[in-house]
């Protein structure tokens, strides 16, 4: 059983920054790909960024490239999402998710953390 717990959301002004954390527990994650998703009200869930737990290989949605950075600290089983130059349209619930090697689906999810960007 995999448990993921996000933290770090909150209210921030446009142009500001936040860092989200996702701490994983329950099993070895060395062969996982970890992802950050977000879902705004009335919109479909969007994959924001991914990282292989080994640290090699990251991907980003076009909407966040150059502004968001995903990273992983294996020593503390935590994945981070550094969000800079935040925009109103970044407002959403952000979810951390894990996908085992060989799986096509992200089968493990956190409870989500709200990010609200105001002008």
């Amino acid at each position: 059983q995999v448990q993921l717990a996000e933290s770090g959301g909150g209210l921030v002004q446009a142009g500001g920054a936040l860092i989200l954390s996702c701490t994983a527990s329950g099993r070895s994650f060395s062969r996982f790909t970890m992802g950050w998703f977000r879902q705004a009200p009335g919109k479909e869930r969007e994959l924001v960024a991914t990282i292989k737990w080994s640290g090699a290989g990251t991907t980003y949605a076009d909407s966040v490239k150059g502004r968001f950075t995903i990273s992983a600290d294996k020593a503390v089983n935590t994945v981070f999402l550094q969000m800079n130059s935040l925009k109103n349209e970044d407002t959403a619930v952000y979810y951390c998710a894990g996908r085992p090697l060989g799986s096509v689906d992200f089968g493990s999810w956190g409870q989500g953390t709200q990010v609200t960007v105001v002008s």
Side-chain angles (χ1 to χ4, degrees):
Q1 189 74 12
V2 172
Q3 292 84 40
L4 300 174
E6 305 97 334
S7 62
L11 184 72
V12 63
Q13 287 204 326
L18 278 177
I19 183 165
L20 305 182
S21 301
C22 170
T23 301
S25 61
R27 60 171 292 174
S28 172
F29 301 95
S30 62
R31 305 183 80 186
F32 270 60
T33 293
M34 303 300 294
W36 282 100
F37 291 76
R38 66 185 180 186
Q39 188 164 23
K43 294 189 177 181
E44 292 188 355
R45 186 172 60 197
E46 175 187 20
L47 177 58
V48 174
T50 66
I51 187 169
K52 293 182 180 178
W53 196 260
S54 64
T58 58
T59 66
Y60 296 93
D62 288 343
S63 58
V64 306
K65 278 181 182 176
R67 300 188 298 121
F68 290 11
T69 302
I70 189 171
S71 61
D73 186 339
K74 291 183 286 185
V76 291
N77 275 358
T78 300
V79 176
F80 302 97
L81 186 68
Q82 174 70 49
M83 305 185 295
N84 297 328
S85 302
L86 283 161
K87 305 175 181 180
N88 296 104
E89 51 263 44
D90 294 318
T91 295
V93 178
Y94 284 71
Y95 298 91
C96 174
R99 184 182 72 203
L101 181 66
S103 174
V104 296
D105 296 321
F106 283 86
S108 302
W109 292 84
Q111 80 286 354
T113 185
Q114 176 70 47
V115 172
T116 302
V117 184
V118 297
S119 298

